[in-house]
Structure formats: C-alpha cells, structure tokens
Amino acid sequence: MEHMQLVQEQRGNGLTLRIHALTRVTRFSQGANGLTETREMDGRFTVEAELQGSGVLLEPGAFQYSVGQVQASVEQQQQGGFLRRAVAAAGTGEGAFATRFTGQGKVWTEPTRKHFVIAEAGGEPGDEMILDDRAFYMAQDTMRVGTHTHTSVAGVLSGNGLRQPKLTGAGIFVVESPVPVSEVEVIELSGRDSVMVDGDLMLMYSASLKVELRPLVRGLRNAARSGEGLVFVLSGKGTVFLTPTAQHPLSGATL
C-alpha cells in the first residue's frame, strides 16, 4: 500500500507477519508525469498477519479489519495466563482471553505509536520466552500464553513472588517495544557470564535463564550510597532482549 512502508517481515508455517510504518503526505509536486506525492513516516505502526492456513492469537482490542476467508473466535489461555489488558485476572488465578483468527486472508491491527518486534520460537525444551507484562501483542496459534512465577525471588517480594507472561510452543510472534527493532540489544549467554540490569529495560528473555532480584550493591549502607534500587541478575544459557534506549520504560513484571 502506498501509505505504508514495510519495516520487518517474518515467514512461518502457514503464516507471514509484517510490521508496517504508516506514512503521510508532506508535499505535492507537478511533474511531466502528473502530480506526485512526497511522503514520510508519521510515527505510527501496524501489524499485518497473512494467514495461509494457520492462525494468530491477538491482544484483545487491537483488531482493525480483515480481508479474505477469516474466522474470529475467543480463546481462553491456560489457567493463570494473562495478556496486557487482563493483568488483574492473573492476580486472581483466572485465565485470560485472546482473539483468535484463522483461515485464509489478512488481518490488520490498529495503528499505534508503539514499536513492534517479530521473533520466533522453535518449541524445544528451554526455548520458552518470558515477556515484559506489557509486551505481548500477537502470536501464532500454535503457541500458548501463560504465567511464569519466579520462585527464586519469592522471598524478596510480598505475596507469591514475581509473575510474568510466558510464551511456550513453536511459532512466530510479535511483541510491543518502546524502541525500534534496530535499537533492541540481544545478548546471548553461554553459561559463564551473567547480565545485571534494571528490570524496566528487559523486553523478554529465555525461560531457561536463572533470575535473581537483589540490590545492585550489597549491604544497606552501600546500597544507599549507590542510589540504585533492586536489579535483575540473569545467568545460565539463553537470550536476553534489552531496550537500553527507551525513554519511557515498561514495567518489568507484575508483583
């Protein structure tokens, strides 16, 4: 479409996901071939899901329109699962609902000023991804959205510990990001090193990683002098996706 510019594309089994940047006209000019337009990106983005026999699970309220032989239904995620608009349900142990689209055709989402990142999971053991609690947007319907509780940090927090959305299964998916995909930093951990980071900067990470929540500097006096609060320390084998350039960081998890 002339009013869009392709940003990212990923093909999966029966599904193609595309991120588009919307554009607007900034100038008209008259040439030998008639009137021409000059367009530039206006800061909004949309997701196109081309269904070729597969399906997608979409964040409720994000649908704009579909073209083709596309069927929509409401699907409950696993018990305790949650999406961004159903965080309260996760706290009560209730399941969350996603809109499922299947068939042959294209599904378009509402334009937003948030950025999007397409990723893929192979479905192997340890390949699950833990997401920021506001990051989930769309996933192939071969995947499931659930809740992961970090028992290793339960003692630091009141209640049941740290809960975050967890994506399992094989497929391609889309997450919302405060920064463009080119500014997302991907760190691969081999098992020897660790990552220490402010939780607001974590977009997603492998569920295989061990997570510790602790003060940046141990000791009450040293912590007060550093001016820093609690940080996340991730270790083991896996991948961490960070957004270090985010101006308005997302919250790291639901407590």
Side-chain angles (χ1 to χ4, degrees):
M1 297 184 183
E2 293 183 356
H3 60 282
M4 296 184 183
Q5 179 175 323
L6 182 63
V7 175
Q8 189 181 1
E9 180 181 68
Q10 183 91 18
R11 297 181 182 274
N13 184 18
L15 172 67
T16 300
L17 297 179
R18 300 182 182 95
I19 309 301
H20 298 276
L22 274 65
T23 62
R24 59 183 175 87
V25 177
T26 58
R27 183 168 62 90
F28 292 101
S29 58
Q30 186 71 43
N33 297 323
L35 190 66
T36 60
E37 298 177 349
T38 300
R39 307 185 70 94
E40 64 179 26
M41 291 188 295
D42 72 356
R44 293 179 299 158
F45 300 88
T46 183
V47 178
E48 171 198 356
E50 182 176 355
L51 308 180
Q52 300 151 318
S54 186
V56 291
L57 300 171
L58 180 62
E59 179 74 26
F63 171 75
Q64 187 180 42
Y65 70 95
S66 65
V67 178
Q69 299 176 350
V70 177
Q71 297 80 43
S73 60
V74 175
E75 180 169 311
Q76 185 174 17
Q77 297 301 289
Q78 68 186 58
Q79 189 72 10
F82 65 89
L83 309 181
R84 183 174 64 255
R85 296 179 180 88
V87 172
T92 63
E94 299 176 2
F97 295 87
T99 308
R100 184 187 185 202
F101 296 91
T102 57
Q104 301 280 343
K106 294 183 178 181
V107 176
W108 295 85
T109 68
E110 289 278 0
T112 175
R113 294 193 177 275
K114 289 287 184 68
H115 298 277
F116 295 107
V117 177
I118 304 175
E120 183 174 10
E124 294 84 6
D127 202 26
E128 301 92 349
M129 295 299 299
I130 307 298
L131 310 181
D132 178 274
D133 62 11
R134 303 179 192 179
F136 177 81
Y137 193 74
M138 177 187 291
Q140 195 162 5
D141 63 357
T142 52
M143 309 186 76
R144 299 289 290 177
V145 185
T147 301
H148 180 76
T149 301
H150 298 281
T151 56
S152 60
V153 298
V156 180
L157 307 167
S158 60
N160 296 322
L162 182 74
R163 298 188 303 272
Q164 291 183 275
K166 180 179 181 179
L167 265 180
T168 60
I172 53 180
F173 61 97
V174 179
V175 294
E176 279 190 354
S177 169
V179 302
V181 62
S182 60
E183 296 181 15
V184 174
E185 185 172 353
V186 181
I187 301 175
E188 296 286 351
L189 293 177
S190 62
R192 294 185 300 174
D193 298 327
S194 63
V195 171
M196 182 165 54
V197 62
D198 183 330
D200 287 338
L201 302 182
M202 289 196 299
L203 182 63
M204 56 184 174
Y205 55 90
S206 301
S208 56
L209 293 172
K210 177 184 176 183
V211 181
E212 181 186 4
L213 182 64
R214 63 172 176 80
L216 176 63
V217 181
R218 295 188 184 277
L220 181 60
R221 180 177 297 180
N222 289 333
R225 288 175 176 173
S226 73
E228 300 288 346
L230 298 175
V231 295
F232 287 81
V233 180
L234 299 97
S235 58
K237 292 184 178 181
T239 308
V240 183
F241 296 78
L242 303 180
T243 58
T245 60
Q247 294 182 352
H248 302 285
L250 303 175
S251 65
T254 300
L255 305 184

